[in-house]
Amino acid sequence: MSTPAPSPQPLTGFRQILGNRDFLVLWGCQISSQLADKILLILLIATLSSYNPPDAVANSMRSAVTVAFTLPAILFGSAAGIYVDRWPKQRVLSTCNLLQGLLVVSLALLPANFPLLLLMTFVVSTFVQFFAPAEQAAIPLVIRPSGLLAANALFTMTIMGSWIVGFAIGDPLLSWAGGWSARFGPELLVGSLYLLSSSLAMSLKVQEVIPDKGTRKPHFWSDLWQGIDYLRTNRQVSSAMLQITVLFSTLAALLVLTSGLAEELGLKAEQFGRLVAPVGVGLAVGGVLLGQVGHRFSHLPLPLLGFLGMGSSLAIFTVVPRLWAALILSTLLGFSGALVAVPMQTLIQEQTPEHMRGKVFGLQNNAVNIALSLPLALTGILADTLGLRPVLLGLSLLVVLTGAWAWSITQKRLLGFWTRWR
């Protein structure tokens, strides 16, 4: 009697998600859209030079473009999530990128008018607020729960990588595009990235439950409070969201402080990117490690380890005397950040019901963007008033306290499991 052949071992880690055709399509959609967002901001600021602004207001005009690009995230982040819950995710992804691509291409046809440029910037960025929660809500629809950690690791790496790669290659790419068509080239380049993302989204196959037409029309305030009430009653999800918000707030503050750190380490202030880039490298390394082997161990202590690592790195920055040591600390800080971002984003996706994901991710998008804006506005002022080292130490203390608070929530969760098991 022959023994049956052993069943094949299920794919885990990156092998599982990279063998999933729909996830690859969604990932490609994210890469193209993220790069387009970063290069678009460079294009918008570069477009101002063609307006020949007076020196007295040139910086103010650049600031106004940046505000127009970021303001929709604060105004519409939560509202967009409400609508995303009631619309097909594949249609939201493809439509948003299609409209963004067409609007960017049309910039080449518009007259040089600053208020009109601000309006176009605001509208294009508004579509991003619908795209972001739809993208996050689509991940659990194309990936089995066992692959969510690896999927979020890959998406986290893409988000951080787009900041480094997008801002690094944006200007050379725009110059190259301007070489073959000075009037239309840069706009066509950025618009094509959005249109590529749209075409990929059109081929995405997502199995989801869509509300009936009679219930599809959102009731804005009741839906918004439903999302807020869900976060209020689900401590795991709300604490995970808060931890992600603190993480991004810390990275934004560090972005401001690295200019001063660079000068103290013998670099020029404009060379602060040399200290920021290793943070992205550390995030990528941490994401790869978690995506490949994270399924083999418990994720519960990871945020505590991550916040302790970030807090220690920030504190040591105040006494580090050498550039090479600062680069190692930046890498460690990024690696520690991955220990927070990846498992916490995975937890939110696992714990949030399908019909609530748009609302929850919309609120998360709103919170993260506000958290990014406040440090950018306040950190420089605090550093000028109190000094660089006190601000770094204060930031370190905030990060460590957040880690301790998060661990207290985790311990209550473990105690609940133990009580039920007994």
Side-chain angles (χ1 to χ4, degrees):
M1 181 177 178
S2 60
T3 58
S7 58
Q9 293 293 322
L11 295 178
T12 57
F14 288 126
R15 290 184 300 169
Q16 174 184 341
I17 62 174
L18 295 179
N20 184 319
R21 178 259 179 199
D22 287 314
F23 175 80
L24 291 178
V25 170
L26 185 61
W27 186 34
C29 183
Q30 185 211 24
I31 292 173
S32 183
S33 181
Q34 287 280 341
L35 284 176
D37 289 341
K38 307 308 178 289
I39 300 176
L40 173 62
L41 184 57
I42 299 174
L43 171 63
L44 292 169
I45 294 176
T47 301
L48 292 176
S49 62
S50 64
Y51 295 178
N52 298 316
D55 292 339
V57 297
N59 288 327
S60 297
M61 291 176 70
R62 283 192 286 269
S63 296
V65 169
T66 305
V67 170
F69 195 80
T70 57
L71 190 59
I74 298 174
L75 295 179
F76 306 129
S78 300
I82 293 172
Y83 287 90
V84 164
D85 269 337
R86 298 174 181 268
W87 295 340
K89 308 302 181 290
Q90 181 265 352
R91 190 179 303 168
V92 173
L93 295 172
S94 59
T95 302
C96 286
N97 277 319
L98 175 62
L99 294 175
Q100 285 175 290
L102 294 177
L103 286 170
V104 171
V105 171
S106 70
L107 284 173
L109 306 175
L110 296 176
N113 182 277
F114 183 60
L116 184 58
L117 180 69
L118 291 180
L119 177 62
M120 293 290 285
T121 302
F122 185 88
V123 173
V124 171
S125 183
T126 298
F127 287 119
V128 177
Q129 312 320 311
F130 290 87
F131 179 90
E135 178 188 63
Q136 285 292 335
I139 295 176
L141 299 176
V142 300
I143 288 291
R144 296 196 303 269
S146 59
L148 282 178
L149 188 75
N152 281 294
L154 208 55
F155 268 63
T156 299
M157 286 189 296
T158 303
I159 292 172
M160 301 311 301
S162 69
W163 277 95
I164 299 171
V165 175
F167 288 127
I169 69 173
D171 186 60
L173 280 178
L174 291 173
S175 298
W176 169 77
W180 52 267
S181 178
R183 182 178 179 184
F184 299 102
E187 288 80 2
L188 283 174
L189 172 67
V190 180
S192 296
L193 287 172
Y194 281 123
L195 294 176
L196 172 61
S197 182
S198 177
S199 64
L200 288 171
M202 289 178 185
S203 66
L204 186 66
K205 298 178 181 178
V206 178
Q207 299 294 328
E208 62 177 315
V209 178
I210 305 297
D212 296 333
K213 291 184 178 179
T215 60
R216 192 175 298 176
K217 184 177 179 180
H219 303 282
F220 180 80
W221 291 112
S222 62
D223 283 10
L224 178 62
W225 282 110
Q226 185 182 4
I228 294 174
D229 189 61
Y230 175 79
L231 293 177
R232 183 180 59 82
T233 56
N234 192 315
R235 293 292 302 277
Q236 293 181 45
V237 174
S238 58
S239 65
M241 187 180 297
L242 179 60
Q243 290 173 66
I244 292 174
T245 302
V246 171
L247 168 63
F248 279 97
S249 181
T250 303
L251 294 178
L254 186 65
L255 190 64
V256 176
L257 297 173
T258 45
S259 295
L261 283 172
E263 290 181 319
E264 293 197 0
L265 293 169
L267 300 173
K268 297 178 181 179
E270 58 267 24
Q271 293 178 313
F272 71 95
R274 297 187 184 184
L275 296 177
V276 175
V279 177
V281 173
L283 279 162
V285 172
V288 169
L289 181 64
L290 287 174
Q292 192 61 27
V293 301
H295 61 278
R296 299 178 184 176
F297 50 83
S298 172
H299 308 154
L300 295 178
L302 291 181
L304 174 63
L305 297 176
F307 281 121
L308 289 177
M310 291 175 63
S312 301
S313 300
L314 290 168
I316 298 173
F317 262 127
T318 62
V319 296
V320 65
R322 303 282 184 178
L323 178 60
W324 63 265
L327 296 177
I328 293 175
L329 284 173
S330 294
T331 306
L332 175 61
L333 192 148
F335 180 86
S336 302
L339 300 184
V340 178
V342 175
M344 291 300 95
Q345 193 65 48
T346 302
L347 185 148
I348 295 173
Q349 291 175 344
E350 289 176 337
Q351 297 291 326
T352 305
E354 181 179 335
H355 69 281
M356 291 293 297
R357 285 175 185 152
K359 302 181 187 68
V360 169
F361 290 127
L363 289 167
Q364 178 185 334
N365 187 39
N366 207 344
V368 167
N369 280 283
I370 293 174
L372 287 173
S373 301
L374 290 178
L376 292 175
L378 299 178
T379 304
I381 298 174
L382 290 175
D384 289 338
T385 304
L386 304 175
L388 181 63
R389 286 177 173 80
V391 174
L392 279 170
L393 287 173
L395 192 60
S396 171
L397 180 61
L398 172 64
V399 168
V400 171
L401 290 176
T402 302
W405 171 81
W407 181 242
S408 70
I409 298 295
T410 301
Q411 285 183 310
K412 291 178 182 179
R413 179 184 175 190
L414 290 172
L415 180 62
F417 285 152
W418 172 253
T419 303
R420 288 195 296 269
W421 183 77
R422 290 183 63 190

